[in-house]
């Protein structure tokens, strides 16, 4: 005798067709699409700026030496921006990058350091940057300090120490092997060595953020630190590494600045923190963390450097430049907010 079949069992039988769920485009794909659009937009802005520079000052702006100067100046702040991109992606901030560059540059150009030649200057600049990054990382990751406060304290301390070392004077570099890197004879394929260093740092930074576990952990910590901790990520150690990375980039940038200027000054790196944060933000790095793009940050650096160059060639005052940069930052943050509210749907 067969048992009666219930309606529910009839629906679960072989004749029942599986319910179709609506397919959604993967979030990763949508994110990549938005970043591609942003990068293309930045390329468009850069093209417009080149056009403006070519129209206003065609003989000066389009000269090969001026274009080399733009790329060289972008290299210094660009290396700092790569490190800043990692920090912001993790949900942090580093207001001390400019002061660290200043401190590393003056410490590396003292008479005692220059006695050790090229290697002594490079080693000192990198070690000072790493030491400052280590202090920032320990205070934030293990000391529980808010990144804004910890790096603000480092900004004041590093600036003060740089002033104390120099006594307000410019320290001239006399090591020929360092100065030779800034002369045209050292250019490779018509490109200054500083630009090649910037390109190398950019490639390494892109690989580190997009193709390694370190990069995935950085994004996870920035997206949700508690969830990252529950997933087995040592959040404190990751943050320490990130500020070490930022300090390393500052040390490299300090050496590039020494090559570019042939000196060390306590005023070096002034407002680098503004430029680095602004470049990262307009490039697509989310200020609240959880998303970062090295390519976008580099394009942001090129946009700001080109703006500065055009303003200088047209004899416009520096305060106008800062107003323009501030307006760009506000616009970029508003775009990010709109994307966060409507772009995730």
């Amino acid at each position: 005798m067969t048992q009666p079949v219930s309606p529910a069992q009839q629906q679960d039988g072989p004749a029942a067709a599986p319910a179709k769920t609506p397919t959604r485009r993967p979030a990763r794909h949508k994110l990549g699409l938005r970043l591609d659009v942003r990068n293309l937009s930045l390329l468009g802005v850069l093209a417009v700026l080149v056009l403006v520079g070519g129209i206003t000052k065609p003989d000066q702006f389009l000269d090969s030496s001026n274009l080399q100067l733009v790329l060289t100046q972008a290299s210094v702040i660009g290396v700092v921006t790569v490190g800043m991109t990692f920090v912001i992606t993790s949900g942090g901030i580093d207001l001390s990058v400019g002061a660290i560059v200043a401190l590393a540059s003056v410490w590396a150009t003292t008479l005692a350091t220059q006695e050790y030649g090229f290697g002594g200057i490079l080693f000192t600049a990198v070690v000072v940057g790493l030491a400052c990054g280590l202090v920032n990382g320990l205070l934030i990751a293990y000391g529980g300090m808010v990144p804004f406060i910890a790096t603000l304290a480092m900004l004041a301390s590093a600036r003060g120490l740089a002033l104390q070392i120099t006594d307000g004077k410019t320290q001239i570099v006399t090591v020929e092997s360092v100065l030779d890197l800034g002369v045209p004879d050292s250019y490779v394929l018509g490109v200054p060595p500083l630009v090649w260093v910037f390109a190398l740092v950019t490639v390494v930074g892109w690989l580190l953020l997009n193709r390694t576990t370190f990069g995935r952990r950085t994004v996870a910590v920035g997206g949700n630190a508690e969830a990252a901790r529950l997933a087995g990520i040592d959040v404190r150690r990751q943050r320490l590494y990130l500020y070490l990375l930022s300090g390393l980039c500052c040390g490299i940038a300090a050496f590039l600045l020494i090559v570019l200027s042939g000196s060390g000054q306590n005023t070096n790196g002034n407002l680098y923190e503004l430029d680095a944060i602004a470049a990262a933000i307009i490039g697509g790095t989310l200020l609240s963390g959880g998303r970062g793009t090295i390519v976008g940050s580099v394009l942001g650096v090129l946009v700001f450097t080109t703006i500065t160059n055009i303003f200088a060639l047209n004899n416009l005052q520096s305060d106008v430049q800062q107003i323009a940069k501030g307006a760009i930052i506000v616009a970029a943050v508003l775009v990010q907010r709109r994307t966060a509210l409507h772009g995730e749907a």
Side-chain angles (χ1 to χ4, degrees), residues 34-284:
R34 285 200 300 272
L35 292 179
D36 288 343
V37 171
R38 185 185 294 272
N39 290 341
L40 290 175
S41 300
L42 287 174
L43 284 173
V45 171
L46 191 59
V48 171
L49 289 175
V50 171
L51 181 62
V52 170
I55 293 175
T56 57
K57 295 289 181 178
D59 296 334
Q60 300 178 38
F61 180 79
L62 296 178
D63 185 72
S64 60
S65 60
N66 182 66
L67 296 178
Q68 289 174 343
L69 176 62
V70 171
L71 291 176
T72 303
Q73 292 175 337
S75 300
V76 180
I77 184 61
V79 172
V80 176
T81 303
V82 170
M84 181 70 78
T85 301
F86 278 88
V87 172
I88 296 179
T89 301
S90 72
I93 198 73
D94 192 348
L95 302 179
S96 63
V97 291
I100 294 175
V101 169
L103 179 59
S105 68
V106 300
W107 207 321
T109 54
T110 60
L111 293 176
T113 303
Q114 292 192 51
E115 291 181 358
Y116 294 94
F118 183 98
I121 294 177
L122 175 59
F123 177 79
T124 302
V126 171
V127 169
V128 171
L130 283 171
C132 293
L134 176 63
V135 173
N136 280 337
L138 290 175
L139 290 176
I140 294 167
Y142 294 94
M145 291 187 66
V146 177
F148 182 90
I149 300 300
T151 57
L152 184 62
M154 176 59 72
L155 182 155
S157 302
R159 283 289 178 193
L161 185 55
L163 179 60
Q164 187 177 43
I165 292 174
T166 61
D167 195 22
K169 301 175 182 178
T170 300
Q171 298 178 163
I172 304 299
V173 177
T174 59
V175 180
E176 293 296 331
S177 57
V178 174
L179 299 176
D180 288 344
L181 292 177
V183 300
D185 291 341
S186 66
Y187 291 4
V188 179
L189 301 177
V191 179
L194 276 66
V195 179
W196 287 112
V197 173
F198 175 36
L200 177 61
V201 171
T202 299
V203 171
V204 173
W206 186 88
L207 291 173
L208 195 61
L209 184 61
N210 296 281
R211 293 293 184 267
T212 66
T213 303
F214 181 86
R216 290 191 290 271
R217 288 175 178 172
T218 300
V219 174
V221 170
N224 190 321
E226 180 61 20
R229 185 188 67 82
L230 294 175
I233 298 175
D234 191 332
V235 175
R236 294 190 298 179
R237 185 173 60 185
Q238 184 70 17
R239 284 174 174 162
L240 174 62
Y241 288 162
L242 289 166
Y243 282 95
L244 276 171
L245 178 61
S246 179
L248 173 62
C249 289
C250 290
I252 296 173
F255 180 77
L256 298 183
L257 190 57
I258 291 171
V259 173
L260 183 61
S261 63
S263 63
Q265 306 176 51
N266 66 285
T267 56
N268 283 342
N270 187 35
L271 294 180
Y272 272 20
E273 55 277 355
L274 170 65
D275 292 340
I277 294 172
I281 291 174
I282 71 170

